[in-house]
Amino acid sequence: MSSAEWADGASRAPGPPGFDLDHAGLKAWLQEDDPARLELLWMEADRVRKARVGDAVHLRGLIEVSSHCVRHCLYCGLRAPTVELERFRMEADEILACAQEAHRLGYGSVVLQAGEDPGLTKAFITEVVRAIKGDTPLAVTLSLGERDDEELREWKAAGADRYLLRFETTDPVLYRRIHPNLPGVPSDRFAQLQRMRTMGYEIGTGVMVGIPGQTWDTLASDILRFREFDMDMIGVGPFLPSPRTPLGGQGVAAFLAAPSDQVPNDELTTLKAVALTRLVCPDSNIPSTTALATLDQARGRELGLLRGANVVMPNVTPVHYRIRYEIYPGKACVNETAEACQDCLDGRIRSLGRSLGKGPGGRSSRAM
Ligand code: SAH
């Protein structure tokens, strides 16, 4: 059954036999703690992953192109009010060199990610996208935050293939709380995702698991929204508190006092969310996130790949910039060169009996 058929059956409880994937079913699965039941979930997520997107693990080289940011998102270490950060913005030729390195390492795509930085102008990104597309066969994904339609259209015309913008939460009250508006600049990530789809981008989104204020109901709704929007890529990782932010330091206690049914930001809950995301969006590309690998440096990457994920995003940013792109502390592999990272990942992926993806690794099919 296609995800679109699922989407219009809101009153049904779709899913593989024994798996009710309506709101109540998802909420119950998220809170499940019986090891035997969880084993069923892991097996089903892995079965669906294998049947629908296969054994290839697609590698996307992540390039952290700028740590400047104008936004005040309460969870992110790059937020504008953080003063003790040494900010950087890469030059066009440096970004191109990273993309060439990703191509040399055999990756099929690169992701240009940054804080929301007006210094990354329309013309600059256009030039960078054109250079990468002209010089390599890589698919190019942008993840530059909320940008206006004129920019997005021009970058698409320059050859950008995909855009990642996590909607972060379906709860509008929580959304506003963690994303203080800039004066005169409202924030509407769902609207931008819709418009980007119309422009022809493959679109990716996602949420953090355990952001303060997230309840089981919220997270179940988030997962249902992935299906309603038929997202091409879905990143789900644990919230990792940054001491530089209001949600990481002393202030968090006041914020957290609210819900009694707060979702924990732990590995098990994240893995349940990843597995359920695979069941509701069987054809989507789902990364085993760096945040998960940071929480469990020994096994996080592998466990994500075993429980529904089929993508990894190795960091190809030069190490001296990477350590300054501190969204949260202790980021996995922060000191490893792209080459070292590649050797390690290659071994980890093969040890699971999986293969390295070839080519750009786009969404294989979409029910329109
Ligand atoms: N400025 C871009 C890129 C942000 S970084 C944008 O806003 O889209 C990409 C993702 O990292 C964010 O969407 C968020 O979900 C995640 N992230 C931010 N802070 C985090 C934290 N403290 N712990 C875990 N993930 C975090």
Side-chain angles (χ1 to χ4, degrees):
M1 186 184 284
S2 76
S3 46
E5 285 170 273
W6 282 7
D8 56 35
S11 57
R12 280 180 287 135
F19 286 83
D20 288 342
L21 300 176
D22 57 3
H23 185 96
L26 287 169
K27 189 177 163 186
W29 270 114
L30 286 168
Q31 295 179 87
E32 182 62 64
D33 55 12
D34 173 357
R37 295 268 301 154
L38 285 174
E39 201 50 46
L40 286 179
L41 176 60
W42 308 145
M43 282 171 56
E44 187 60 14
D46 200 45
R47 188 191 69 74
V48 171
R49 185 273 307 154
K50 188 177 174 70
R52 302 298 284 260
V53 294
D55 278 338
V57 175
H58 299 287
L59 301 181
R60 330 277 200 210
L62 179 67
I63 312 176
E64 295 159 332
V65 296
S66 165
S67 65
H68 292 271
C69 190
V70 294
R71 295 266 172 185
H72 293 221
C73 308
L74 257 52
Y75 46 83
C76 182
L78 300 183
R79 63 198 304 270
T82 305
V83 285
E84 65 272 31
L85 211 61
E86 205 193 328
R87 310 262 178 180
F88 69 91
R89 183 179 301 121
M90 288 172 70
E91 301 290 340
D93 56 349
E94 293 176 304
I95 301 172
L96 180 61
C98 291
Q100 286 161 337
E101 170 80 347
H103 176 47
R104 198 182 61 74
L105 291 170
Y107 304 169
S109 66
V110 282
V111 180
L112 273 49
Q113 193 184 78
E116 215 166 290
D117 175 13
L120 295 173
T121 61
K122 183 172 77 171
F124 178 81
I125 295 294
T126 302
E127 175 198 334
V128 169
V129 170
R130 278 216 189 97
I132 297 174
K133 297 300 283 190
D135 217 53
T136 74
L138 295 169
V140 173
T141 302
L142 301 176
S143 178
L144 306 175
E146 294 177 63
R147 307 292 302 225
D148 66 40
D149 285 6
E150 210 187 306
E151 296 171 311
L152 294 166
R153 260 191 227 102
E154 183 154 325
W155 298 337
K156 185 81 194 61
D161 301 278
R162 308 173 185 150
Y163 203 101
L164 297 181
L165 185 70
R166 290 187 175 182
F167 62 70
E168 314 293 3
T169 179
T170 43
D171 174 348
V173 175
L174 179 60
Y175 185 87
R176 281 195 296 276
R177 208 165 170 191
I178 60 180
H179 298 107
N181 268 347
L182 300 179
V185 191
S187 168
D188 189 344
R189 293 184 163 221
F190 285 116
Q192 181 174 329
L193 285 164
Q194 294 276 33
R195 292 195 304 270
M196 291 190 298
R197 168 154 284 165
T198 314
M199 290 175 200
Y201 282 99
E202 268 192 44
I203 52 170
T205 194
V207 298
M208 289 168 275
V209 171
I211 185 94
Q214 183 187 62
T215 66
W216 298 108
D217 275 310
T218 321
L219 187 53
S221 297
D222 295 346
I223 295 173
L224 282 175
R225 192 63 63 90
F226 297 152
R227 179 171 71 204
E228 284 157 19
F229 265 57
D230 192 22
M231 297 288 179
D232 301 308
M233 300 164 280
I234 305 159
V236 177
F239 163 65
L240 300 173
S242 161
R244 294 198 169 116
T245 66
L247 294 187
Q250 299 291 327
V252 74
F255 198 95
L256 266 173
S260 57
D261 50 351
Q262 167 68 44
V263 172
N265 59 336
D266 61 16
E267 182 176 26
L268 181 61
T269 313
T270 304
L271 289 167
K272 287 186 235 177
V274 169
L276 292 165
T277 299
R278 171 56 68 201
L279 297 188
V280 301
C281 298
D283 299 321
S284 297
N285 281 317
I286 301 178
S288 181
T289 58
T290 304
L292 182 58
T294 299
L295 199 58
D296 175 359
Q297 308 237 350
R299 294 272 294 153
R301 281 263 196 246
E302 282 90 335
L303 288 174
L305 290 172
L306 289 169
R307 294 170 183 183
N310 70 321
V311 169
V312 172
M313 294 166 62
N315 202 321
V316 295
T317 314
V319 172
H320 63 283
Y321 289 133
R322 203 187 304 178
I323 52 179
R324 288 154 66 186
Y325 192 84
E326 203 191 284
I327 291 180
Y328 48 74
K331 193 165 58 170
C333 313
V334 74
N335 286 311
E336 276 174 38
T337 60
E339 193 119 21
C341 208
Q342 168 70 358
D343 288 346
C344 165
L345 269 177
D346 198 31
R348 287 180 185 233
I349 289 166
R350 286 181 202 285
S351 75
L352 303 177
R354 305 273 279 278
S355 55
L356 290 179
K358 300 251 179 316
R363 169 87 176 263
S364 47
S365 62
R366 158 132 43 89
M368 295 297 284

